[in-house]
C-alpha cells in the first residue's frame, strides 16, 4: 500500500490487525479517522490508551474492568448467592442486556478445548472454586452451546457437584422466532429432550 | 453499558462511532484491544494520532497523503498525461491494486448529489480543471456506477469537452465471473449496449 503515505498505510496496517477487520474495512476506517476533526481522532486514541492502561480483572468475577471490583460485583442489589458462569465479558454483556438476571457472574476467559490445547488450568476455574467456598446457592453454567462450551459445562458441573451446590445449565433449544424448518437436527433434538410441561 | 467500567465503556462508545462498526463489533474490538500487550495498544493509538496529524491533500491529485505530493504524483514513471478521476482515495486504491494503470489520478472526494445537496463546488472539480491547463491527453472518468457517480461523470465530461481533451468513461457491464442470471436488468442492458467486436 505504498500508494498512500507512510502514516496512513501504517494506520491501515494497525487497524487490519484487529480481529474481524480486513484490509478494506481498515482502509475505510483509516480514511474516516483522518478526515475527522483532529480532536475526534485524539479522543479515540486517548480512549484506547486509557482503557488499556486502566484495565484489570475484577477480583470477584474476573471480568475486565477498571476498579478492584466491577460495577456488578460492587452493586449491593445483586444477588451474590447466584453465580452465572460465562466464557467472555461479551457473554456477560449479552445477559446484562436482558435486564432480568439479578445474580452475579464469573468470567472464565475461554473454554476448555483439547484441540486448541486449552485445559482447565488455562481458564479462570480456580477462581470460581475459591468463590464457592463462600455462601453460594446456585451456579448457572452459561458457556456457549459449542463443543468447547459443552465440554467446559460438563467439567465444571462434575467439579462442583461434590460440594452440594446446585448446578444448572441454560436451556438449549429453538431460538424464539426461529423457523423450525431452518433449524439443524441437533438443536431440534435438544429442544425435544428439553421439553417442558405446559 | 455501565456493567463494564468507565474506560472500557468509553472505548466501546468511541469505536462504535466509526462507520460500519456496531455496538457488538465495538465490544469485540475493545475487549481485544485491552487484552493485548500495552505496547500494541500504544502503537494503535499513536498510529491514529500520527496519521491524523500528518494528513494532507496531495497538491496535484487531492488524494490524502502526508507529503506535498502523494507517492503516485511524485513517481517519475507515472504517465502525467492521463488522469483517472475517482470519487475517493479508496477507489484509487482499488485501481492501484490492479497494478496495470500507469497514469495518475484525481480524487474528487465525493460525487455530485442534488439529493444530499452536494453540488459541483463541493467536490474537487476546480482543482481538476486547473490541472487540465497543463499537458493532458486523456481524462478517464472512473466515478462509481451509481446515480451520483453517473451524474458526476456526465457533468465532468460536459465541462471538459470544450477543451478538446479526450474524455472516456470506464466500461459498465457484467462483472468477470458474474453469473448472467443473477445480474440486474440495467447492468445487462449496459453490457449489451457496450458490446465490442471480437
Amino acid at each position: 500500500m505504498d500508494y498512500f503515505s507512510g502514516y496512513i498505510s501504517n494506520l491501515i496496517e494497525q487497524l487490519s490487525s484487529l480481529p474481524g477487520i480486513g484490509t478494506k474495512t481498515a482502509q475505510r476506517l483509516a480514511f474516516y479517522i483522518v478526515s475527522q476533526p483532529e480532536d475526534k481522532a485524539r479522543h479515540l486514541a486517548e480512549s484506547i490508551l486509557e482503557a488499556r492502561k486502566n484495565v484489570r480483572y475484577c477480583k470477584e468475577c474476573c471480568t475486565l474492568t477498571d476498579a478492584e471490583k466491577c460495577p456488578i460485583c460492587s452493586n449491593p442489589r445483586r444477588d451474590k448467592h447466584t453465580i452465572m458462569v460465562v466464557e467472555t465479558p461479551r457473554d456477560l454483556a449479552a445477559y446484562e442486556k436482558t435486564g432480568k438476571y439479578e445474580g452475579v457472574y464469573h468470567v472464565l476467559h475461554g473454554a476448555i478445548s483439547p484441540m486448541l490445547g486449552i485445559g482447565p488450568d488455562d481458564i479462570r476455574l480456580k477462581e470460581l472454586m475459591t468463590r464457592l467456598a463462600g455462601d453460594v446457592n446456585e451456579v448457572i453454567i452459561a458457556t456457549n452451546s459449542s463443543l468447547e462450551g459443552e465440554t467446559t459445562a460438563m467439567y465444571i458441573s462434575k467439579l462442583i457437584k461434590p460440594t452440594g451446590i446446585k448446578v444448572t445449565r441454560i436451556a438449549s433449544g429453538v431460538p424464539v422466532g426461529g423457523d423450525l424448518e431452518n433449524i439443524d437436527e441437533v438443536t431440534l433434538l435438544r429442544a425435544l429432550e428439553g421439553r417442558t410441561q405446559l
Side-chain angles (χ1 to χ4, degrees), chain A:
Chain A
M1 273 172 298
D2 51 344
Y3 38 89
F4 297 128
S5 68
Y7 291 110
I8 297 180
S9 298
N10 182 34
L11 177 57
I12 293 173
E13 204 180 292
Q14 288 284 328
L15 290 170
S16 58
S17 76
L18 296 174
I21 304 287
T23 312
K24 278 204 177 169
T25 310
Q27 268 182 29
R28 191 164 44 80
L29 294 177
F31 284 119
Y32 177 83
I33 289 169
V34 299
S35 320
Q36 291 292 300
E38 194 149 356
D39 65 325
K40 268 205 80 170
R42 197 170 37 243
H43 281 319
L44 175 59
E46 276 166 7
S47 66
I48 290 171
L49 290 174
E50 276 171 6
R52 178 59 191 85
K53 204 172 66 191
N54 293 290
V55 77
R56 54 197 291 184
Y57 295 105
C58 170
K59 72 164 189 169
E60 291 287 326
C61 74
C62 302
T63 194
L64 293 171
T65 187
D66 56 9
E68 201 174 16
K69 275 190 183 189
C70 76
I72 296 171
C73 287
S74 49
N75 182 344
R77 280 193 303 275
R78 305 293 293 237
D79 168 18
K80 307 289 189 304
H81 307 300
T82 308
I83 297 178
M84 180 186 280
V85 180
V86 292
E87 291 182 23
T88 67
R90 281 175 283 141
D91 299 333
L92 178 158
Y95 255 102
E96 277 304 284
K97 236 179 277 166
T98 67
K100 296 288 182 200
Y101 177 64
E102 299 184 333
V104 291
Y105 295 89
H106 188 85
V107 180
L108 295 173
H109 292 281
I112 297 170
S113 169
M115 235 173 57
L116 296 173
I118 301 171
D121 292 341
D122 300 319
I123 59 178
R124 304 258 166 173
L125 252 182
K126 231 177 3 204
E127 288 85 345
L128 174 63
M129 298 313 289
T130 311
R131 290 177 77 184
L132 298 188
D135 189 12
V136 175
N137 295 334
E138 184 177 353
V139 174
I140 304 166
I141 306 182
T143 51
N144 286 335
S145 189
S146 61
L147 184 62
E148 291 80 14
E150 294 293 353
T151 309
T152 309
M154 290 285 284
Y155 188 90
I156 296 177
S157 77
K158 273 188 190 154
L159 216 58
I160 298 179
K161 280 241 174 89
T163 67
I165 296 169
K166 186 174 164 191
V167 188
T168 56
R169 177 91 173 103
I170 55 166
S172 217
V174 179
V176 177
D179 231 340
L180 246 60
E181 63 171 342
N182 298 325
I183 290 169
D184 64 289
E185 299 80 21
V186 184
T187 303
L188 287 177
L189 281 177
R190 283 283 187 85
L192 184 64
E193 285 165 14
R195 67 192 179 277
T196 52
Q197 198 163 359
L198 296 178

mmCIF file of all heavy atoms in Angstrom, chain A residues 91-129:
data_model
loop_
_atom_site.group_PDB
_atom_site.id
_atom_site.type_symbol
_atom_site.label_atom_id
_atom_site.label_comp_id
_atom_site.label_asym_id
_atom_site.label_seq_id
_atom_site.Cartn_x
_atom_site.Cartn_y
_atom_site.Cartn_z
ATOM 1 N N ASP A 91 -20.225 -12.194 26.697
ATOM 2 C CA ASP A 91 -21.369 -13.027 27.055
ATOM 3 C C ASP A 91 -22.069 -12.429 28.276
ATOM 4 O O ASP A 91 -23.302 -12.425 28.355
ATOM 5 C CB ASP A 91 -20.909 -14.453 27.361
ATOM 6 C CG ASP A 91 -20.248 -15.101 26.151
ATOM 7 O OD1 ASP A 91 -20.585 -14.704 25.022
ATOM 8 O OD2 ASP A 91 -19.399 -15.986 26.340
ATOM 9 N N LEU A 92 -21.267 -11.910 29.186
ATOM 10 C CA LEU A 92 -21.816 -11.200 30.351
ATOM 11 C C LEU A 92 -22.677 -10.034 29.850
ATOM 12 O O LEU A 92 -23.818 -9.871 30.279
ATOM 13 C CB LEU A 92 -20.647 -10.701 31.196
ATOM 14 C CG LEU A 92 -20.885 -9.880 32.455
ATOM 15 C CD1 LEU A 92 -19.665 -9.972 33.380
ATOM 16 C CD2 LEU A 92 -21.145 -8.411 32.156
ATOM 17 N N ALA A 93 -22.134 -9.277 28.913
ATOM 18 C CA ALA A 93 -22.862 -8.130 28.367
ATOM 19 C C ALA A 93 -24.184 -8.567 27.758
ATOM 20 O O ALA A 93 -25.205 -7.906 27.899
ATOM 21 C CB ALA A 93 -22.009 -7.410 27.327
ATOM 22 N N ALA A 94 -24.168 -9.719 27.058
ATOM 23 C CA ALA A 94 -25.378 -10.213 26.404
ATOM 24 C C ALA A 94 -26.465 -10.494 27.434
ATOM 25 O O ALA A 94 -27.627 -10.119 27.253
ATOM 26 C CB ALA A 94 -25.060 -11.472 25.601
ATOM 27 N N TYR A 95 -26.087 -11.142 28.556
ATOM 28 C CA TYR A 95 -27.094 -11.421 29.588
ATOM 29 C C TYR A 95 -27.518 -10.163 30.332
ATOM 30 O O TYR A 95 -28.673 -10.030 30.736
ATOM 31 C CB TYR A 95 -26.628 -12.514 30.555
ATOM 32 C CG TYR A 95 -27.346 -13.820 30.260
ATOM 33 C CD1 TYR A 95 -26.725 -14.843 29.567
ATOM 34 C CD2 TYR A 95 -28.683 -13.972 30.620
ATOM 35 C CE1 TYR A 95 -27.406 -16.006 29.244
ATOM 36 C CE2 TYR A 95 -29.376 -15.123 30.308
ATOM 37 C CZ TYR A 95 -28.732 -16.145 29.614
ATOM 38 O OH TYR A 95 -29.423 -17.273 29.299
ATOM 39 N N GLU A 96 -26.584 -9.231 30.507
ATOM 40 C CA GLU A 96 -26.942 -7.973 31.175
ATOM 41 C C GLU A 96 -27.981 -7.203 30.379
ATOM 42 O O GLU A 96 -28.832 -6.521 30.922
ATOM 43 C CB GLU A 96 -25.706 -7.103 31.393
ATOM 44 C CG GLU A 96 -24.925 -7.461 32.627
ATOM 45 C CD GLU A 96 -25.772 -7.416 33.886
ATOM 46 O OE1 GLU A 96 -26.060 -6.316 34.371
ATOM 47 O OE2 GLU A 96 -26.168 -8.497 34.377
ATOM 48 N N LYS A 97 -27.886 -7.344 29.061
ATOM 49 C CA LYS A 97 -28.806 -6.608 28.200
ATOM 50 C C LYS A 97 -30.248 -7.081 28.386
ATOM 51 O O LYS A 97 -31.178 -6.330 28.130
ATOM 52 C CB LYS A 97 -28.380 -6.731 26.736
ATOM 53 C CG LYS A 97 -28.159 -5.374 26.087
ATOM 54 C CD LYS A 97 -27.728 -5.524 24.649
ATOM 55 C CE LYS A 97 -26.240 -5.772 24.548
ATOM 56 N NZ LYS A 97 -25.807 -6.236 23.226
ATOM 57 N N THR A 98 -30.433 -8.328 28.834
ATOM 58 C CA THR A 98 -31.790 -8.799 29.086
ATOM 59 C C THR A 98 -32.408 -8.026 30.245
ATOM 60 O O THR A 98 -33.620 -7.896 30.339
ATOM 61 C CB THR A 98 -31.814 -10.303 29.461
ATOM 62 O OG1 THR A 98 -31.180 -10.477 30.729
ATOM 63 C CG2 THR A 98 -31.088 -11.158 28.432
ATOM 64 N N GLY A 99 -31.566 -7.518 31.149
ATOM 65 C CA GLY A 99 -32.052 -6.715 32.271
ATOM 66 C C GLY A 99 -32.782 -7.507 33.329
ATOM 67 O O GLY A 99 -33.360 -6.936 34.255
ATOM 68 N N LYS A 100 -32.819 -8.847 33.203
ATOM 69 C CA LYS A 100 -33.632 -9.652 34.109
ATOM 70 C C LYS A 100 -32.800 -10.488 35.078
ATOM 71 O O LYS A 100 -33.333 -10.993 36.073
ATOM 72 C CB LYS A 100 -34.523 -10.620 33.303
ATOM 73 C CG LYS A 100 -35.532 -9.929 32.419
ATOM 74 C CD LYS A 100 -36.639 -9.311 33.230
ATOM 75 C CE LYS A 100 -37.685 -8.662 32.320
ATOM 76 N NZ LYS A 100 -38.490 -7.684 33.069
ATOM 77 N N TYR A 101 -31.543 -10.667 34.779
ATOM 78 C CA TYR A 101 -30.721 -11.511 35.645
ATOM 79 C C TYR A 101 -30.215 -10.680 36.824
ATOM 80 O O TYR A 101 -29.627 -9.612 36.641
ATOM 81 C CB TYR A 101 -29.549 -12.093 34.851
ATOM 82 C CG TYR A 101 -28.621 -12.926 35.697
ATOM 83 C CD1 TYR A 101 -29.065 -14.107 36.301
ATOM 84 C CD2 TYR A 101 -27.312 -12.528 35.931
ATOM 85 C CE1 TYR A 101 -28.220 -14.865 37.095
ATOM 86 C CE2 TYR A 101 -26.461 -13.281 36.716
ATOM 87 C CZ TYR A 101 -26.924 -14.438 37.303
ATOM 88 O OH TYR A 101 -26.097 -15.187 38.098
ATOM 89 N N GLU A 102 -30.448 -11.166 38.034
ATOM 90 C CA GLU A 102 -30.108 -10.359 39.206
ATOM 91 C C GLU A 102 -28.919 -10.883 39.984
ATOM 92 O O GLU A 102 -28.500 -10.279 40.968
ATOM 93 C CB GLU A 102 -31.336 -10.244 40.107
ATOM 94 C CG GLU A 102 -32.467 -9.551 39.377
ATOM 95 C CD GLU A 102 -33.697 -9.315 40.235
ATOM 96 O OE1 GLU A 102 -33.915 -10.091 41.183
ATOM 97 O OE2 GLU A 102 -34.418 -8.349 39.946
ATOM 98 N N GLY A 103 -28.402 -12.041 39.564
ATOM 99 C CA GLY A 103 -27.248 -12.599 40.260
ATOM 100 C C GLY A 103 -25.950 -11.945 39.796
ATOM 101 O O GLY A 103 -25.960 -10.885 39.172
ATOM 102 N N VAL A 104 -24.840 -12.600 40.115
ATOM 103 C CA VAL A 104 -23.546 -12.099 39.665
ATOM 104 C C VAL A 104 -22.972 -13.074 38.621
ATOM 105 O O VAL A 104 -23.619 -14.063 38.276
ATOM 106 C CB VAL A 104 -22.575 -11.916 40.848
ATOM 107 C CG1 VAL A 104 -23.026 -10.762 41.737
ATOM 108 C CG2 VAL A 104 -22.451 -13.201 41.651
ATOM 109 N N TYR A 105 -21.786 -12.783 38.134
ATOM 110 C CA TYR A 105 -21.192 -13.593 37.068
ATOM 111 C C TYR A 105 -19.848 -14.173 37.497
ATOM 112 O O TYR A 105 -19.269 -13.763 38.498
ATOM 113 C CB TYR A 105 -20.955 -12.741 35.823
ATOM 114 C CG TYR A 105 -22.219 -12.235 35.202
ATOM 115 C CD1 TYR A 105 -22.779 -11.022 35.598
ATOM 116 C CD2 TYR A 105 -22.872 -12.965 34.221
ATOM 117 C CE1 TYR A 105 -23.951 -10.546 35.031
ATOM 118 C CE2 TYR A 105 -24.045 -12.499 33.643
ATOM 119 C CZ TYR A 105 -24.580 -11.294 34.058
ATOM 120 O OH TYR A 105 -25.729 -10.837 33.499
ATOM 121 N N HIS A 106 -19.380 -15.097 36.681
ATOM 122 C CA HIS A 106 -17.976 -15.481 36.755
ATOM 123 C C HIS A 106 -17.484 -15.655 35.316
ATOM 124 O O HIS A 106 -18.048 -16.453 34.567
ATOM 125 C CB HIS A 106 -17.769 -16.773 37.545
ATOM 126 C CG HIS A 106 -16.323 -17.042 37.770
ATOM 127 N ND1 HIS A 106 -15.628 -16.491 38.822
ATOM 128 C CD2 HIS A 106 -15.419 -17.742 37.044
ATOM 129 C CE1 HIS A 106 -14.361 -16.856 38.748
ATOM 130 N NE2 HIS A 106 -14.203 -17.618 37.677
ATOM 131 N N VAL A 107 -16.475 -14.893 34.941
ATOM 132 C CA VAL A 107 -15.988 -14.923 33.563
ATOM 133 C C VAL A 107 -14.759 -15.825 33.469
ATOM 134 O O VAL A 107 -13.738 -15.584 34.114
ATOM 135 C CB VAL A 107 -15.651 -13.499 33.070
ATOM 136 C CG1 VAL A 107 -15.142 -13.539 31.637
ATOM 137 C CG2 VAL A 107 -16.868 -12.591 33.181
ATOM 138 N N LEU A 108 -14.871 -16.885 32.679
ATOM 139 C CA LEU A 108 -13.788 -17.871 32.554
ATOM 140 C C LEU A 108 -12.653 -17.397 31.655
ATOM 141 O O LEU A 108 -11.535 -17.872 31.768
ATOM 142 C CB LEU A 108 -14.351 -19.183 31.981
ATOM 143 C CG LEU A 108 -15.355 -19.932 32.855
ATOM 144 C CD1 LEU A 108 -15.931 -21.110 32.071
ATOM 145 C CD2 LEU A 108 -14.690 -20.426 34.136
ATOM 146 N N HIS A 109 -12.946 -16.466 30.756
ATOM 147 C CA HIS A 109 -11.981 -16.046 29.738
ATOM 148 C C HIS A 109 -11.541 -17.226 28.881
ATOM 149 O O HIS A 109 -10.339 -17.500 28.763
ATOM 150 C CB HIS A 109 -10.780 -15.341 30.361
ATOM 151 C CG HIS A 109 -11.149 -14.016 30.960
ATOM 152 N ND1 HIS A 109 -11.321 -12.902 30.194
ATOM 153 C CD2 HIS A 109 -11.442 -13.665 32.227
ATOM 154 C CE1 HIS A 109 -11.673 -11.894 30.971
ATOM 155 N NE2 HIS A 109 -11.763 -12.332 32.205
ATOM 156 N N GLY A 110 -12.503 -17.912 28.332
ATOM 157 C CA GLY A 110 -12.210 -19.026 27.442
ATOM 158 C C GLY A 110 -13.032 -20.245 27.799
ATOM 159 O O GLY A 110 -13.913 -20.198 28.666
ATOM 160 N N ALA A 111 -12.763 -21.333 27.107
ATOM 161 C CA ALA A 111 -13.432 -22.599 27.364
ATOM 162 C C ALA A 111 -12.403 -23.701 27.176
ATOM 163 O O ALA A 111 -11.419 -23.508 26.453
ATOM 164 C CB ALA A 111 -14.600 -22.787 26.401
ATOM 165 N N ILE A 112 -12.651 -24.820 27.813
ATOM 166 C CA ILE A 112 -11.730 -25.945 27.685
ATOM 167 C C ILE A 112 -11.763 -26.453 26.247
ATOM 168 O O ILE A 112 -12.839 -26.695 25.698
ATOM 169 C CB ILE A 112 -12.125 -27.077 28.656
ATOM 170 C CG1 ILE A 112 -11.994 -26.580 30.098
ATOM 171 C CG2 ILE A 112 -11.269 -28.316 28.434
ATOM 172 C CD1 ILE A 112 -12.587 -27.529 31.136
ATOM 173 N N SER A 113 -10.607 -26.567 25.617
ATOM 174 C CA SER A 113 -10.556 -27.042 24.238
ATOM 175 C C SER A 113 -9.310 -27.897 24.041
ATOM 176 O O SER A 113 -8.225 -27.371 23.793
ATOM 177 C CB SER A 113 -10.544 -25.850 23.274
ATOM 178 O OG SER A 113 -10.240 -26.300 21.976
ATOM 179 N N PRO A 114 -9.466 -29.211 24.138
ATOM 180 C CA PRO A 114 -8.308 -30.093 23.941
ATOM 181 C C PRO A 114 -7.653 -29.847 22.581
ATOM 182 O O PRO A 114 -6.440 -29.905 22.451
ATOM 183 C CB PRO A 114 -8.924 -31.490 24.001
ATOM 184 C CG PRO A 114 -10.202 -31.327 24.747
ATOM 185 C CD PRO A 114 -10.698 -29.967 24.401
ATOM 186 N N MET A 115 -8.492 -29.507 21.575
ATOM 187 C CA MET A 115 -7.950 -29.302 20.237
ATOM 188 C C MET A 115 -7.003 -28.111 20.176
ATOM 189 O O MET A 115 -5.995 -28.141 19.479
ATOM 190 C CB MET A 115 -9.093 -29.087 19.248
ATOM 191 C CG MET A 115 -9.032 -30.062 18.102
ATOM 192 S SD MET A 115 -10.476 -29.948 17.064
ATOM 193 C CE MET A 115 -10.504 -28.253 16.563
ATOM 194 N N LEU A 116 -7.364 -27.036 20.909
ATOM 195 C CA LEU A 116 -6.504 -25.847 20.914
ATOM 196 C C LEU A 116 -5.503 -25.900 22.071
ATOM 197 O O LEU A 116 -4.772 -24.942 22.320
ATOM 198 C CB LEU A 116 -7.353 -24.579 21.031
ATOM 199 C CG LEU A 116 -8.297 -24.292 19.867
ATOM 200 C CD1 LEU A 116 -9.197 -23.110 20.184
ATOM 201 C CD2 LEU A 116 -7.494 -24.021 18.594
ATOM 202 N N GLY A 117 -5.511 -27.007 22.807
ATOM 203 C CA GLY A 117 -4.574 -27.129 23.913
ATOM 204 C C GLY A 117 -4.927 -26.270 25.113
ATOM 205 O O GLY A 117 -4.062 -25.896 25.892
ATOM 206 N N ILE A 118 -6.219 -25.927 25.250
ATOM 207 C CA ILE A 118 -6.643 -25.125 26.398
ATOM 208 C C ILE A 118 -7.250 -26.046 27.457
ATOM 209 O O ILE A 118 -8.298 -26.655 27.237
ATOM 210 C CB ILE A 118 -7.671 -24.048 25.977
ATOM 211 C CG1 ILE A 118 -7.040 -23.128 24.916
ATOM 212 C CG2 ILE A 118 -8.138 -23.236 27.183
ATOM 213 C CD1 ILE A 118 -8.010 -22.169 24.269
ATOM 214 N N GLY A 119 -6.583 -26.181 28.558
ATOM 215 C CA GLY A 119 -7.054 -27.055 29.628
ATOM 216 C C GLY A 119 -7.722 -26.283 30.746
ATOM 217 O O GLY A 119 -7.799 -25.056 30.698
ATOM 218 N N PRO A 120 -8.212 -26.984 31.760
ATOM 219 C CA PRO A 120 -8.915 -26.352 32.879
ATOM 220 C C PRO A 120 -8.067 -25.303 33.594
ATOM 221 O O PRO A 120 -8.598 -24.334 34.131
ATOM 222 C CB PRO A 120 -9.220 -27.524 33.813
ATOM 223 C CG PRO A 120 -9.164 -28.736 32.951
ATOM 224 C CD PRO A 120 -8.167 -28.450 31.889
ATOM 225 N N ASP A 121 -6.737 -25.466 33.569
ATOM 226 C CA ASP A 121 -5.879 -24.510 34.269
ATOM 227 C C ASP A 121 -5.682 -23.225 33.485
ATOM 228 O O ASP A 121 -5.148 -22.242 33.998
ATOM 229 C CB ASP A 121 -4.505 -25.140 34.548
ATOM 230 C CG ASP A 121 -4.614 -26.273 35.558
ATOM 231 O OD1 ASP A 121 -5.638 -26.312 36.275
ATOM 232 O OD2 ASP A 121 -3.698 -27.105 35.605
ATOM 233 N N ASP A 122 -6.098 -23.240 32.201
ATOM 234 C CA ASP A 122 -5.884 -22.065 31.364
ATOM 235 C C ASP A 122 -7.055 -21.092 31.426
ATOM 236 O O ASP A 122 -6.995 -20.007 30.855
ATOM 237 C CB ASP A 122 -5.651 -22.496 29.910
ATOM 238 C CG ASP A 122 -4.434 -23.398 29.793
ATOM 239 O OD1 ASP A 122 -3.427 -23.093 30.464
ATOM 240 O OD2 ASP A 122 -4.493 -24.410 29.075
ATOM 241 N N ILE A 123 -8.136 -21.502 32.056
ATOM 242 C CA ILE A 123 -9.264 -20.586 32.209
ATOM 243 C C ILE A 123 -9.458 -20.311 33.703
ATOM 244 O O ILE A 123 -8.840 -20.959 34.539
ATOM 245 C CB ILE A 123 -10.560 -21.143 31.559
ATOM 246 C CG1 ILE A 123 -10.947 -22.497 32.178
ATOM 247 C CG2 ILE A 123 -10.364 -21.299 30.046
ATOM 248 C CD1 ILE A 123 -12.229 -23.067 31.612
ATOM 249 N N ARG A 124 -10.295 -19.347 34.029
ATOM 250 C CA ARG A 124 -10.409 -18.889 35.429
ATOM 251 C C ARG A 124 -11.315 -19.795 36.257
ATOM 252 O O ARG A 124 -12.336 -19.361 36.787
ATOM 253 C CB ARG A 124 -10.942 -17.456 35.448
ATOM 254 C CG ARG A 124 -10.089 -16.514 34.639
ATOM 255 C CD ARG A 124 -9.228 -15.718 35.536
ATOM 256 N NE ARG A 124 -8.185 -15.052 34.773
ATOM 257 C CZ ARG A 124 -7.365 -14.166 35.312
ATOM 258 N NH1 ARG A 124 -7.476 -13.847 36.584
ATOM 259 N NH2 ARG A 124 -6.423 -13.617 34.589
ATOM 260 N N LEU A 125 -10.917 -21.070 36.341
ATOM 261 C CA LEU A 125 -11.727 -22.043 37.068
ATOM 262 C C LEU A 125 -11.376 -22.067 38.554
ATOM 263 O O LEU A 125 -12.259 -22.182 39.404
ATOM 264 C CB LEU A 125 -11.484 -23.433 36.481
ATOM 265 C CG LEU A 125 -12.618 -24.008 35.665
ATOM 266 C CD1 LEU A 125 -12.276 -25.398 35.190
ATOM 267 C CD2 LEU A 125 -13.911 -24.022 36.477
ATOM 268 N N LYS A 126 -10.084 -21.957 38.834
ATOM 269 C CA LYS A 126 -9.619 -21.961 40.228
ATOM 270 C C LYS A 126 -10.303 -20.835 41.000
ATOM 271 O O LYS A 126 -10.786 -21.016 42.109
ATOM 272 C CB LYS A 126 -8.097 -21.736 40.250
ATOM 273 C CG LYS A 126 -7.375 -22.758 41.080
ATOM 274 C CD LYS A 126 -5.868 -22.602 41.074
ATOM 275 C CE LYS A 126 -5.323 -21.432 40.304
ATOM 276 N NZ LYS A 126 -3.956 -21.618 39.872
ATOM 277 N N GLU A 127 -10.395 -19.655 40.337
ATOM 278 C CA GLU A 127 -11.023 -18.503 40.972
ATOM 279 C C GLU A 127 -12.501 -18.796 41.265
ATOM 280 O O GLU A 127 -13.026 -18.370 42.295
ATOM 281 C CB GLU A 127 -10.922 -17.276 40.059
ATOM 282 C CG GLU A 127 -9.520 -16.685 39.956
ATOM 283 C CD GLU A 127 -8.658 -17.367 38.892
ATOM 284 O OE1 GLU A 127 -9.031 -18.470 38.427
ATOM 285 O OE2 GLU A 127 -7.621 -16.805 38.527
ATOM 286 N N LEU A 128 -13.146 -19.546 40.360
ATOM 287 C CA LEU A 128 -14.556 -19.893 40.586
ATOM 288 C C LEU A 128 -14.674 -20.799 41.804
ATOM 289 O O LEU A 128 -15.515 -20.571 42.685
ATOM 290 C CB LEU A 128 -15.126 -20.601 39.349
ATOM 291 C CG LEU A 128 -16.558 -21.149 39.488
ATOM 292 C CD1 LEU A 128 -17.557 -20.019 39.728
ATOM 293 C CD2 LEU A 128 -16.963 -21.950 38.253
ATOM 294 N N MET A 129 -13.813 -21.807 41.886
ATOM 295 C CA MET A 129 -13.880 -22.755 43.001
ATOM 296 C C MET A 129 -13.636 -22.035 44.330
ATOM 297 O O MET A 129 -14.276 -22.347 45.328
ATOM 298 C CB MET A 129 -12.865 -23.895 42.790
ATOM 299 C CG MET A 129 -13.130 -24.733 41.534
ATOM 300 S SD MET A 129 -14.854 -25.258 41.291
ATOM 301 C CE MET A 129 -15.021 -26.472 42.597
#
